[in-house]
Amino acid sequence: MNTPVYNSLTGIQHDFLPKFLPEDMECLDACLTVAFTKAKLEANRVIEDYEGFEWEDLLNENYQKYRENKDFLEKYKRRLELVNEAEAFRDRLDVFGKLKLMNYLSLLGERTIYDYRSFSWGKYHGEDIQVYRENKEFFLKYLARVREISIETRSKENNDIIQKHTNNLRACMDEKNCNAPFIPPVRQDLFSTQPHNKFNSEANRKELDTLQSELNSMVGLNIVKDRIASLVSEIAIRKEREAHGLPIGDRSYHMVFTGNSGTGKTVVARIVAQMFYALGLTRSNTFVEATRSDLVAGYVGHTAIKTNKVVDRALGGVLFIDEAYALYGEGNDFGAEAINTLLKRMEDDRGDLIVIMAGYEHEMSGLLSSNQGLESRFNRKIHFEDYSISEMVQILKRTITVNGYSLSGCVNNNLLDILLTSATKRQEKFSNGRGVRNLFEKIVENQEKRIYNSGDLKSVSKSELQTISLDDVMSVLD
């Protein structure tokens, strides 16, 4: 067993001395069972409260309230995941591990009540009666809920002992105690929605190896591959330090991919997003692609709503914005509103969102320099060089093979080299891999015309359907 949760409850490196002890050590397992039951019941009831919630209506009416409710729900879902994970290995823990776990679960069960310790009841009663009533109703409902759970779960034998234990916890409850004993990452608190995928699992390592092989199999992009390899090693080592309780600085993984069209920016971004998930940097393998049209609206106030919806879809994973330089406009252009909304969400959802922007090098430099917030947050830049003629030959041959075709013996690398050199000279913007794909489609179109015009299709063999002849290739030059 090697997970951050398990490691944080074993050994002496984290919170060795428990905060409080049960009065009777013989009831430790019973107390732990009660604590698990309370924590799960509490989380499940909160999650159930949101079933059928009108998220779209709230988003359009009051975005701030929408975010608060969304964050609240996500925190409880994350809490339930942690509780279920801890329960899976409770029997493997020693006495001190069980004590630390029980203290954590007990704090968890009282946390919402404790959060209201500083709520300004009098202030809101005088200024905003609606806010006062909503919070008061929730608080009273929660108190009744905790009491009901306590009655349902406590046995007569352990009731007094558990009550003493809970009273001790309430007396000394503070932020530091509420953050323990789970492994303390950079900015994770009790309600954290930080990533919890485990890099150390064998399945994740295999997935990472597969993704690395997929990246390495791409033609060219040697500088890009080196940068991604360095990024992977950086994240992996930081995860290991985190698992051992060593300090790790806060780092941003937002990135800018620059380069001309067809250089593989989108494909690499998809692979990187999957790598982030396999490494445990993100909590899901979500990959959302967006362009200016997805983020910018034509009316005042609508752009923020549109941008926020896209960001919400990407939470927990990676948001990829292609041709991001198109957001940079002048005058009353709403692109600036999209940028400012995005920057705010990157700050509000820091740790739960990674943004990758892509576009032409010169235009992307203009976008970043236009906004200090963008320039400071996107400090990782990877440039994608244009493919050489020989690399495009490799891409064309691979595309032909992958699609179930084969070249006749008359078509060699020299001929393909001439073909691609001619094509790039005739087209000012050949668009690299995308241009190769278009060239392949023209070659196949020539092959299909040739076969169709040759006579009876019933007599055509499988080999003929697969073979690309010299004429098929040369016709592209006409």
Side-chain angles (χ1 to χ4, degrees):
M1 177 74 63
N2 187 18
T3 72
V5 175
Y6 182 73
N7 290 340
S8 68
L9 296 171
T10 57
I12 63 173
Q13 67 269 36
H14 303 297
D15 193 23
F16 174 67
L17 294 177
K19 304 283 191 303
F20 304 101
L21 302 177
E23 298 296 323
D24 182 358
M25 291 299 295
E26 293 181 359
C27 77
L28 175 60
D29 283 322
C31 289
L32 195 55
T33 298
V34 170
F36 268 117
T37 305
K38 286 181 65 177
K40 287 193 290 185
L41 278 171
E42 173 202 346
N44 276 315
R45 289 189 180 186
V46 171
I47 293 170
E48 288 171 5
D49 282 346
Y50 278 95
E51 290 183 0
F53 198 73
E54 300 294 337
W55 293 108
E56 286 289 332
D57 292 343
L58 186 59
L59 175 62
N60 293 327
E61 293 172 6
N62 188 327
Y63 178 73
Q64 183 62 32
K65 200 168 184 179
Y66 166 84
R67 279 292 351 143
E68 289 173 358
N69 280 273
K70 202 76 171 176
D71 291 344
F72 185 76
L73 176 59
E74 288 303 316
K75 288 168 185 176
Y76 268 91
K77 287 182 178 180
R78 174 69 177 129
R79 174 187 291 183
L80 184 60
E81 290 176 7
L82 289 173
V83 171
N84 288 331
E85 181 183 345
E87 190 173 33
F89 55 68
R90 60 174 286 187
D91 293 335
R92 303 189 186 189
L93 298 174
D94 58 14
V95 172
F96 283 107
K98 288 182 178 180
L99 288 171
K100 288 191 287 184
L101 179 57
M102 187 180 67
N103 282 315
Y104 174 81
L105 291 169
S106 299
L107 287 166
L108 210 61
E110 303 292 329
R111 180 60 179 165
T112 300
I113 296 174
Y114 182 66
D115 276 344
Y116 274 99
R117 72 197 184 284
S118 59
F119 194 79
S120 302
W121 295 108
K123 174 180 180 293
Y124 284 110
H125 187 271
E127 297 179 5
D128 194 333
I129 193 66
Q130 183 64 26
V131 172
Y132 170 82
R133 286 175 178 171
E134 289 177 358
N135 281 276
K136 197 72 173 181
E137 288 174 5
F138 177 81
F139 183 59
L140 292 174
K141 178 182 177 181
Y142 195 89
L143 285 175
R145 180 176 288 178
V146 170
R147 182 175 182 275
E148 179 186 344
I149 292 173
S150 298
I151 292 172
E152 289 177 359
T153 58
R154 292 182 181 178
S155 63
K156 292 181 179 180
E157 295 79 9
N158 297 322
N159 186 68
D160 292 339
I161 297 169
I162 295 171
Q163 186 62 55
K164 289 179 182 179
H165 179 76
T166 303
N167 289 339
N168 286 339
L169 287 169
R170 287 175 177 171
C172 296
M173 188 178 288
D174 57 32
E175 291 297 327
K176 181 179 179 182
N177 288 342
C178 286
N179 288 339
F182 284 11
I183 204 84
V186 182
R187 294 170 11 268
Q188 197 163 17
D189 61 13
L190 178 67
F191 291 134
S192 176
T193 55
Q194 285 284 334
H196 56 282
N197 187 29
K198 286 74 179 176
F199 170 57
N200 286 328
S201 73
E202 184 178 351
N204 284 358
R205 287 185 177 276
K206 287 182 178 179
E207 175 67 13
L208 190 61
D209 289 341
T210 300
L211 292 166
Q212 192 69 60
S213 298
E214 183 180 348
L215 178 63
N216 291 337
S217 69
M218 294 180 69
V219 174
L221 304 178
N222 293 327
I223 295 177
V224 174
K225 292 172 184 176
D226 288 343
R227 292 290 304 278
I228 299 301
S230 297
L231 183 63
V232 168
S233 61
E234 173 191 328
I235 297 170
I237 295 303
R238 283 168 59 80
K239 282 291 178 181
E240 289 300 314
R241 286 180 60 86
E242 183 181 15
H244 287 83
L246 297 172
I248 53 175
D250 194 4
R251 295 186 189 177
S252 170
Y253 290 97
H254 305 301
M255 292 185 286
V256 172
F257 288 177
T258 62
N260 292 325
S261 299
T263 48
K265 298 186 293 295
T266 303
V267 175
V268 172
R270 291 195 190 104
I271 295 174
V272 168
Q274 297 296 315
M275 284 180 165
F276 283 167
Y277 178 62
L279 286 163
L281 186 65
T282 56
R283 61 181 171 87
S284 75
N285 58 359
T286 300
F287 181 79
V288 175
E289 295 183 48
T291 60
R292 175 189 166 92
S293 62
D294 298 305
L295 305 173
V296 179
Y299 303 95
V300 176
H302 288 208
T303 291
I305 294 174
K306 204 170 183 181
T307 301
N308 280 316
K309 285 183 177 180
V310 173
V311 173
D312 286 338
R313 286 168 47 214
L315 283 180
V318 173
L319 171 60
F320 177 74
I321 305 176
D322 198 11
E323 297 180 347
Y325 52 83
L327 294 173
Y328 176 46
E330 298 179 354
N332 295 323
D333 183 80
F334 295 115
E337 184 182 354
I339 293 173
N340 291 330
T341 303
L342 180 64
L343 288 173
K344 185 178 186 304
R345 292 300 302 275
M346 288 169 66
E347 180 62 29
D348 293 345
D349 297 293
R350 184 175 50 182
D352 201 33
L353 174 69
I354 293 176
V355 179
I356 300 177
M357 289 185 170
Y360 296 115
E361 184 175 19
H362 177 72
E363 285 81 351
M364 289 303 296
S365 296
L367 171 66
L368 295 177
S369 61
S370 70
N371 188 300
Q372 189 175 357
L374 281 176
E375 197 162 24
S376 62
R377 285 172 174 81
F378 290 90
N379 55 4
R380 295 176 184 266
K381 301 178 181 66
I382 300 179
H383 183 64
F384 289 63
E385 298 285 351
D386 286 341
Y387 290 113
S388 66
I389 295 298
S390 60
E391 288 171 341
M392 285 192 282
V393 168
Q394 293 181 55
I395 294 172
L396 178 57
K397 292 177 68 175
R398 180 176 297 181
T399 304
I400 289 171
T401 301
V402 167
N403 284 276
Y405 295 93
S406 61
L407 294 169
S408 68
C410 299
V411 182
N412 55 31
N413 284 354
N414 289 335
L415 178 61
L416 295 179
D417 191 298
I418 294 170
L419 174 69
L420 282 159
T421 300
S422 174
T424 54
K425 286 181 178 179
R426 282 185 297 169
Q427 299 180 36
E428 185 178 348
K429 291 186 177 180
F430 184 69
S431 68
N432 292 282
R434 196 173 303 158
V436 173
R437 178 72 190 184
N438 293 336
L439 196 64
F440 162 74
E441 290 176 355
K442 290 180 181 179
I443 291 173
V444 170
E445 183 181 333
N446 291 336
Q447 185 238 32
E448 291 166 347
K449 287 180 180 178
R450 174 178 57 80
I451 294 175
Y452 183 82
N453 292 330
S454 63
D456 186 7
L457 293 181
K458 293 181 179 179
S459 63
V460 177
S461 67
K462 179 180 178 180
S463 176
E464 289 176 306
L465 291 171
Q466 291 178 300
T467 302
I468 291 176
S469 71
L470 178 62
D471 288 341
D472 300 331
V473 175
M474 296 301 295
S475 295
V476 176
L477 294 173
D478 295 341

